[in-house]
Amino acid sequence: MSVFESTVTVSKPAAQVYAFLADMNNHRQLMPDNITDWTSTTDVASFTIPNITKLSLQIDERVDNGLVRIIPAEKPPFDMELKWELSETDGATKATFTITADLNMMMKMLASGPLQKLADGETTNLVSILS
């Protein structure tokens, strides 16, 4: 398994960060600009990454103010999990976004850079939106 992780501090309480992340409708704002065909509900989001693939993701687990775990709703090109872990200290929230992907060597060479960029971009966007 390959792991891509990014951590940021958001100057909001964990409850507010969690409320934003627990709704898949909000995740469009975290995604890169090149994402197309976005459709979502509170629990599921489907979208296209141009020239790569179409994905459908669903929230698999919610732990109030602490965790949002997202898994594929349909068979993806490779097994993956996206996880937001939150911890609050002095009114600010540390948010860690982790992408875990089962990549073969060829996919790892091709996808490692874009997946790390995605992890970093989502956390950066989260800070921008909630600050």
Side-chain angles (χ1 to χ4, degrees):
M1 286 294 212
S2 299
V3 178
F4 308 93
E5 189 172 276
S6 183
T7 301
V8 292
T9 300
V10 181
S11 56
K12 299 285 184 203
Q16 190 173 346
V17 178
Y18 172 80
F20 180 86
L21 293 172
D23 184 343
M24 286 300 284
N25 290 306
N26 295 328
H27 285 253
R28 175 62 188 108
Q29 300 172 63
L30 302 175
M31 292 285 181
D33 292 336
N34 68 335
I35 296 297
T36 61
D37 304 324
W38 180 273
T39 59
S40 59
T41 65
T42 303
D43 297 320
V44 179
S46 297
F47 54 92
T48 299
I49 305 168
N51 303 320
I52 298 176
T53 190
K54 181 168 178 55
L55 279 179
S56 185
L57 301 173
Q58 67 185 14
I59 294 180
D60 180 59
E61 179 181 8
R62 290 179 179 96
V63 176
D64 283 350
N65 306 332
L67 173 77
V68 176
R69 189 160 109 39
I70 302 165
I71 61 169
E74 299 170 0
K75 184 70 180 147
F78 47 84
D79 289 334
M80 61 190 296
E81 174 189 86
L82 295 84
K83 185 168 51 176
W84 285 95
E85 294 175 284
L86 308 174
S87 60
E88 185 174 333
T89 309
D90 300 325
T93 302
K94 181 174 114 178
T96 301
F97 181 54
T98 307
I99 301 170
T100 307
D102 187 11
L103 304 173
N104 63 35
M105 285 305 288
M106 179 64 92
M107 284 296 290
K108 190 171 186 172
M109 288 181 358
L110 294 171
S112 287
L115 287 173
Q116 185 61 55
K117 186 176 177 185
L118 175 64
D120 294 339
E122 289 219 8
T123 54
T124 299
N125 290 341
L126 181 70
V127 171
S128 296
I129 292 163
L130 295 181
S131 291

